[in-house]
Amino acid sequence: MLNLGIIGTNWITHEFVSAAIKSEEYQLKAVYSRQVEKAQEFASRYPNSEEMMYSTDLVDFFHLDDLDVIYIASPNSLHYEQAKGAIEAGKHVIVEKPAVSTLEELEELIDLAEEKEVFYFEAARHIHEENFERVALLLKNREDILGANLNFMKYSSRYDAVLKGEEPNIFSPKFSGGALMDLGVYLIYAAISWFGKPKESFYFDQKLPTGVDGLGTMIFRYDGFDVTMMTGKNADNYLPSEIYLGDSTICLDAVNSIQEIKVKKRDKGQLIELSYAEESLDNPMIEEAIAFSKVINNPMNVKEQKQYQDWIQLAKDVHSVMESLRKQAGIVFDADK
Ligand SMILES: NC(=O)c1ccc[n+]([C@@H]2O[C@H](COP(=O)([O-])OP(=O)(O)OC[C@H]3O[C@@H](n4cnc5c(N)ncnc54)[C@H](OP(=O)(O)O)[C@@H]3O)[C@@H](O)[C@H]2O)c1
């Protein structure tokens, strides 16, 4: 059983902790919050809360006894320093997407984790889902990919504050916010996982008064095809995502938490439809929680360690492309300065 400590007490941490406990691979042992009352309130929802450790000091928190893994779900720009502190204290780290603000930060943390012999995971939960892998299998060895159109836009309730002239964390350059970092990252992960690293990539964004992107279109160019992707946090999209092949179209209801995959195929003039609907799990973070625990618990297992190295390479590719898109669009974070 892995002893888990958490940073960030918002709803997503509850979702991860519930998934971790449900996986039966972790138990919640410690909670960090800037306010001890918040930490206690967070812990009160879980078993053995009377034995829980609390801290409002990050250095003390990282050195608490018996902690194996720290899950970090704070505003994006804080991930780097927090992950660095945890790794230096010899803890494995699971960091919410996007794990860092810049590629340089990512590379430094990966090197540090290797030196300290701990694992560093970016929690891009959708890549661990069964249906995400099913799409990858449908595309394996296909040489007739003609293009794709992937979408992920969701109106954020915090955009209301932007409209009032405020700067909530998720829309702030101080906290490395914006549509590309928050939702675009899911699309970039999908495109690179399914089609590889693009030869060229472009981002056409619409800036908010806070300086970050509210909405935008990415185009990834590959040999022989393009992938177009729309992301945004100030509008909702209801379009499915589609991948175009020589003889068929793969239709997805979404790019993360995919519930329905339909392959519409032309065969001798007839349209044949294959459906791969999968029961959705109660908690979409269980698969990643299990995947990370397998790597941590099996440091000598060649298959698990190869998997880990593949995730590391994927994270590097995603952050290298994402940073280039962001710079192209002139989105400057405090973390860049
Ligand atoms: N995988 C997913 O599906 C998913 C979904 C949502 C979010 N996320 C990711 O999770 C992370 C957190 O997102 P969020 O929307 O929950 O962020 P948030 O509400 O801005 O902050 C999360 C937590 O960080 C702490 N915090 C907030 N502002 C802070 C500040 N100025 N200085 C220090 N700590 C601060 C707070 O905990 P305390 O007050 O207890 O210290 C807060 O509960 C992001 O990286 C986001 O991309 C992932």
Side-chain angles (χ1 to χ4, degrees):
M1 188 71 79
L2 295 165
N3 289 336
L4 178 67
I6 60 106
I7 297 177
T9 53
N10 202 1
W11 65 271
I12 191 62
T13 310
H14 279 297
E15 193 153 290
F16 182 78
V17 171
S18 305
I21 292 173
K22 210 164 189 175
S23 75
E24 299 182 357
E25 298 290 344
Y26 306 77
Q27 57 186 344
L28 183 62
K29 276 280 184 176
V31 178
Y32 165 83
S33 171
R34 292 166 300 167
Q35 295 166 39
V36 74
E37 301 77 21
K38 257 176 138 178
Q40 285 165 340
E41 198 287 315
F42 185 96
S44 67
R45 300 197 204 172
Y46 300 99
N48 306 322
S49 58
E50 59 290 346
E51 292 163 25
M52 205 77 71
M53 298 180 281
Y54 304 103
S55 182
T56 53
D57 181 287
L58 271 177
V59 178
D60 290 349
F61 179 69
F62 293 139
H63 290 91
L64 287 173
D65 282 343
D66 292 338
L67 280 192
D68 302 307
V69 196
I70 311 282
Y71 168 79
I72 300 175
S74 54
N76 301 338
S77 65
L78 307 184
H79 294 176
Y80 164 73
E81 282 296 345
Q82 293 173 342
K84 192 171 169 185
I87 295 169
E88 276 170 345
K91 314 295 184 201
H92 304 295
V93 185
I94 299 171
V95 195
E96 262 309 330
K97 48 49 66 177
V100 283
S101 305
T102 66
L103 180 64
E104 191 182 346
E105 289 180 353
L106 183 77
E107 288 177 334
E108 190 189 321
L109 292 175
I110 288 169
D111 290 348
L112 186 63
E114 200 177 324
E115 186 190 316
K116 295 284 177 183
E117 297 183 5
V118 296
F119 295 107
Y120 174 75
F121 304 101
E122 178 166 41
R125 63 185 163 95
H126 61 322
I127 67 166
H128 304 284
E129 290 170 4
E130 200 174 342
N131 281 336
F132 189 94
E133 179 59 22
R134 187 165 276 149
V135 176
L137 287 174
L138 286 168
L139 292 170
K140 202 171 174 188
N141 300 326
R142 296 290 305 225
E143 286 178 2
D144 60 347
I145 298 171
L146 298 173
N149 194 311
L150 311 178
N151 301 294
F152 192 6
M153 293 171 54
K154 191 157 175 36
Y155 188 92
S156 164
S157 56
R158 294 182 231 186
Y159 186 62
D160 295 348
V162 176
L163 292 173
K164 286 187 204 147
E166 296 165 20
E167 192 173 295
N169 297 348
I170 200 59
F171 289 104
S172 169
K174 183 174 167 209
F175 290 106
S176 307
L180 183 70
M181 294 292 276
D182 194 52
L183 299 185
V185 64
Y186 288 100
L187 297 170
I188 300 172
Y189 254 103
I192 296 182
S193 300
W194 294 338
F195 310 111
K197 198 172 175 188
K199 294 191 85 161
E200 286 181 287
S201 53
F202 304 93
Y203 187 43
F204 307 95
D205 73 321
Q206 285 159 33
K207 296 270 179 336
L208 300 176
T210 58
V212 300
D213 51 331
L215 182 143
T217 304
M218 290 177 261
I219 299 178
F220 285 10
R221 305 220 73 185
Y222 293 87
D223 272 336
F225 66 95
D226 297 327
V227 175
T228 306
M229 295 172 276
M230 271 203 85
T231 190
K233 286 188 68 66
N234 54 0
D236 291 307
N237 97 284
Y238 301 95
L239 286 172
S241 290
E242 294 182 333
I243 300 164
Y244 311 108
L245 304 171
D247 64 350
S248 53
T249 297
I250 300 175
C251 306
L252 311 172
D253 65 329
V255 166
N256 81 328
S257 293
I258 301 170
Q259 310 252 339
E260 189 178 77
I261 303 170
K262 282 195 169 142
V263 180
K264 301 188 182 204
K265 193 171 176 180
R266 288 177 303 282
D267 191 20
K268 297 184 190 114
Q270 289 221 314
L271 190 69
I272 299 171
E273 188 173 291
L274 303 168
S275 188
Y276 300 87
E278 189 69 37
E279 287 264 311
S280 62
L281 296 173
D282 295 350
N283 184 319
M285 300 178 95
I286 287 183
E287 286 152 308
E288 66 171 357
I290 293 173
F292 300 152
S293 71
K294 278 188 184 161
V295 171
I296 296 173
N297 290 328
N298 298 290
M300 305 311 283
N301 181 301
V302 175
K303 186 172 153 253
E304 297 300 342
Q305 298 314 309
K306 160 86 172 62
Q307 177 70 91
Y308 174 70
Q309 289 306 331
D310 289 348
W311 294 335
I312 288 289
Q313 186 55 51
L314 180 58
K316 283 184 182 176
D317 289 345
V318 165
H319 282 274
S320 122
V321 170
M322 194 154 68
E323 185 165 333
S324 130
L325 296 176
R326 185 167 71 72
K327 296 216 158 140
Q328 241 179 59
I331 303 163
V332 182
F333 293 154
D334 290 17
D336 295 320
K337 293 169 192 163

